[in-house]
Amino acid sequence: MDLVREDQQYLWKPPSATAQLQNSRQFINNCSSLFACDKKFSEILPEVRKLCKQEGVKLPKIMTDLRVILTGYPEGPPLKDIIDLLGREEALHRFNQYK
Protein backbone atom coordinates (compact mmCIF):
# COMPACT_ATOMS: atom_id res chain seq x y z
CA MET A 1 0.00 0.00 0.00
CA ASP A 2 2.94 2.38 0.55
CA LEU A 3 3.61 2.53 -3.18
CA VAL A 4 0.16 3.87 -4.02
CA ARG A 5 0.17 6.72 -1.51
CA GLU A 6 -0.26 10.23 -2.91
CA ASP A 7 3.38 11.16 -2.19
CA GLN A 8 4.62 8.06 -4.05
CA GLN A 9 2.79 8.73 -7.34
CA TYR A 10 5.98 10.08 -8.90
CA LEU A 11 7.13 6.47 -9.22
CA TRP A 12 4.43 5.83 -11.82
CA LYS A 13 4.11 9.16 -13.63
CA PRO A 14 6.07 12.40 -13.87
CA PRO A 15 4.76 15.34 -11.88
CA SER A 16 2.16 17.28 -13.84
CA ALA A 17 3.23 20.69 -12.55
CA THR A 18 6.36 21.89 -10.84
CA ALA A 19 6.29 24.09 -7.82
CA GLN A 20 8.16 27.35 -7.62
CA LEU A 21 11.86 26.54 -7.68
CA GLN A 22 14.47 28.35 -5.59
CA ASN A 23 17.24 28.66 -8.18
CA SER A 24 17.54 29.93 -11.75
CA ARG A 25 16.57 27.61 -14.57
CA GLN A 26 20.11 27.79 -16.00
CA PHE A 27 21.73 26.81 -12.70
CA ILE A 28 19.29 23.95 -12.20
CA ASN A 29 19.95 22.74 -15.74
CA ASN A 30 23.72 22.93 -15.17
CA CYS A 31 23.36 20.78 -12.06
CA SER A 32 20.92 18.29 -13.56
CA SER A 33 23.14 17.84 -16.64
CA LEU A 34 25.84 16.40 -14.36
CA PHE A 35 23.67 13.30 -13.99
CA ALA A 36 23.89 12.54 -17.73
CA CYS A 37 26.90 10.30 -17.31
CA ASP A 38 27.75 6.85 -16.04
CA LYS A 39 29.17 8.10 -12.76
CA LYS A 40 27.78 7.04 -9.41
CA PHE A 41 25.83 9.56 -7.35
CA SER A 42 28.74 9.74 -4.90
CA GLU A 43 30.99 10.86 -7.77
CA ILE A 44 28.51 13.44 -9.08
CA LEU A 45 27.79 15.05 -5.72
CA PRO A 46 31.23 16.74 -5.43
CA GLU A 47 30.66 18.29 -8.86
CA VAL A 48 27.26 19.62 -7.75
CA ARG A 49 28.90 20.98 -4.59
CA LYS A 50 31.55 22.71 -6.70
CA LEU A 51 28.90 24.39 -8.87
CA CYS A 52 27.02 25.46 -5.74
CA LYS A 53 30.16 26.97 -4.27
CA GLN A 54 30.94 28.84 -7.51
CA GLU A 55 27.41 30.29 -7.64
CA GLY A 56 27.02 30.88 -3.90
CA VAL A 57 24.08 28.46 -3.67
CA LYS A 58 23.51 26.23 -0.66
CA LEU A 59 23.50 22.53 -1.59
CA PRO A 60 20.16 21.72 0.12
CA LYS A 61 18.40 24.33 -2.02
CA ILE A 62 19.50 22.81 -5.32
CA MET A 63 18.78 19.30 -4.05
CA THR A 64 15.24 20.44 -3.21
CA ASP A 65 14.81 21.89 -6.71
CA LEU A 66 16.05 18.69 -8.33
CA ARG A 67 13.70 16.66 -6.11
CA VAL A 68 10.76 18.86 -7.18
CA ILE A 69 11.59 18.31 -10.85
CA LEU A 70 11.71 14.54 -10.34
CA THR A 71 8.77 14.08 -7.98
CA GLY A 72 6.75 17.28 -7.77
CA TYR A 73 7.45 17.48 -4.02
CA PRO A 74 10.04 19.60 -2.19
CA GLU A 75 10.36 17.04 0.58
CA GLY A 76 10.84 13.32 0.41
CA PRO A 77 13.52 10.71 0.05
CA PRO A 78 17.11 11.70 -0.65
CA LEU A 79 17.79 12.53 -4.29
CA LYS A 80 20.03 9.48 -4.67
CA ASP A 81 17.18 7.20 -3.59
CA ILE A 82 14.74 8.87 -5.98
CA ILE A 83 17.13 8.44 -8.90
CA ASP A 84 17.74 4.81 -7.92
CA LEU A 85 13.98 4.17 -7.74
CA LEU A 86 13.16 5.90 -11.01
CA GLY A 87 16.22 4.66 -12.83
CA ARG A 88 18.79 6.93 -14.43
CA GLU A 89 17.03 7.00 -17.81
CA GLU A 90 13.70 8.17 -16.36
CA ALA A 91 15.41 10.71 -14.09
CA LEU A 92 17.30 12.16 -17.07
CA HIS A 93 14.08 12.27 -19.08
CA ARG A 94 12.42 14.30 -16.33
CA PHE A 95 15.41 16.61 -15.99
CA ASN A 96 15.41 17.14 -19.76
CA GLN A 97 11.69 17.95 -19.77
CA TYR A 98 12.42 20.81 -17.40
CA LYS A 99 14.93 22.32 -19.83
Side-chain angles (χ1 to χ4, degrees):
M1 291 304 293
D2 284 343
L3 294 177
V4 294
R5 292 185 344 217
E6 173 82 24
D7 63 338
Q8 300 296 315
Q9 291 300 305
Y10 71 88
L11 292 170
W12 317 116
K13 61 182 179 177
S16 58
T18 58
Q20 182 67 28
L21 301 177
Q22 301 175 48
N23 295 284
S24 73
R25 181 177 290 269
Q26 182 174 350
F27 182 68
I28 293 168
N29 288 335
N30 288 344
C31 289
S32 66
S33 68
L34 293 173
F35 292 89
C37 65
D38 290 334
K39 294 180 181 178
K40 296 179 183 179
F41 187 85
S42 61
E43 296 171 316
I44 296 169
L45 191 55
E47 295 177 41
V48 174
R49 280 193 174 109
K50 182 179 175 182
L51 278 177
C52 287
K53 186 175 181 179
Q54 289 172 350
E55 295 294 321
V57 173
K58 296 196 183 276
L59 182 66
K61 288 190 178 194
I62 190 62
M63 298 304 256
T64 298
D65 284 349
L66 296 175
R67 184 181 298 109
V68 168
I69 292 169
L70 293 176
T71 69
Y73 298 100
E75 296 178 3
L79 194 62
K80 179 197 179 309
D81 294 347
I82 293 168
I83 292 171
D84 286 347
L85 285 169
L86 291 174
R88 184 177 297 268
E89 186 175 315
E90 177 63 20
L92 289 174
H93 176 71
R94 292 182 186 193
F95 284 145
N96 287 332
Q97 282 195 302
Y98 177 72
K99 292 180 179 179

